[in-house]
Amino acid sequence: MVDVGEQRPFRVRFGWGGEDLAVLAPDSDTVVIVDVLRFTTAVSVAVSRGAQVLPWRWRDAAAASFAAQQGAVLAGRREDPTSPWSLSPAALARIPAGTRLVLPSPNGATLSAAVADSGAAPVAGCLRNAAAVGTVLAADLAAGRSVVVIAAGERWPDPDGREHRGPLRPAVEDLLGAGAIIARTVEAGALPRARLSPEARAALAAFRAAEPELHDELRASVSGRELLALGWDDDVASAAQLDADAVVPVLRDGAFTALGG
């Protein structure tokens, strides 16, 4: 009998959120987390500027204590003028090299930490670093390893109305980011169709359809419209810059740093 969610016959796999992560990651050699708006995009921008990013789930007192212990800066909310750094990839384009940044996120950071807790070293992927990540994944596949790309998605409110604590809500921007990484992996490795699970092929097809108008697609998504309502189209535009960063952020020893850096 085939387990629900199992994609073992295929070398390139795709899934959604913590639920699929729990099923697919143990059988995969490399795990890529995709949270386009905005965690993994922010990580890609910050790491490409020479910063280190320490993921944390919630922006709370524990996060502040953790940042102090790590000699790091705790990211605040973009609307807070007293905080220079936040989840905003547009703002993080100015982060100084060497900065250690604790970056809270209930989706991308939480999934990244879950992978790290299992002893693996997750990769932060997005549209901006799709080609760089795809090149690394193609090398992994050529060496006989398997990969899984996990779209973080969002969370509905729970029954008490608390945001980001309810069931998974698929997010189209993460589907497109995952599809871009899979597409670049296929291109870099000249992979045959049979290597990809049907789920991975569907994500790739979604990206191909949206590729000519990525910024517009992201702006029209639910997450994009939330950012637009706040006046943050620059974050959406930053997230839509396909292959802009030649960096592969890997979570090791509690911080995302550049692979090979």
Side-chain angles (χ1 to χ4, degrees), residues 36 84 91 94 96 130-131 144 147 152 175 185 188 190 194 199 215 224 228 230 237-238:
V36 169
R94 303 185 297 274
V147 304
L175 175 66
T185 302
E199 292 81 1
H215 187 195
L228 290 177
L230 294 168
S238 178

Side-chain angles (χ1 to χ4, degrees), residues 58-197:
W58 304 113
R59 187 182 295 101
D60 54 15
S65 176
F66 175 72
Q69 293 169 5
Q70 296 295 320
V73 178
L74 175 61
R77 299 184 182 278
R78 181 171 177 178
E79 59 268 29
D80 181 358
T82 67
S83 179
W85 314 121
S86 67
L87 271 171
S88 168
L92 288 170
R94 303 185 297 274
I95 196 168
T99 302
R100 285 171 60 82
L101 180 69
V102 174
L103 192 60
S105 162
N107 300 304
T110 300
L111 296 178
S112 299
V115 178
D117 288 345
S118 73
V123 171
C126 60
L127 290 163
R128 290 185 64 99
N129 68 358
V133 173
T135 298
V136 169
L137 297 187
D140 285 348
L141 292 163
R145 293 187 282 272
S146 59
V147 304
V148 61
V149 183
I150 296 291
E154 299 286 343
R155 290 279 165 182
W156 293 104
D158 70 6
D160 295 327
R162 295 178 299 175
E163 288 188 314
H164 308 300
R165 296 174 189 261
L168 175 73
R169 176 174 68 79
V172 69
E173 67 274 8
D174 296 341
L175 175 66
L176 298 181
I181 291 166
I182 293 167
R184 295 297 186 254
T185 302
V186 168
E187 293 162 4
L191 297 180
R193 175 182 174 87
R195 286 282 193 83
L196 280 64
S197 71

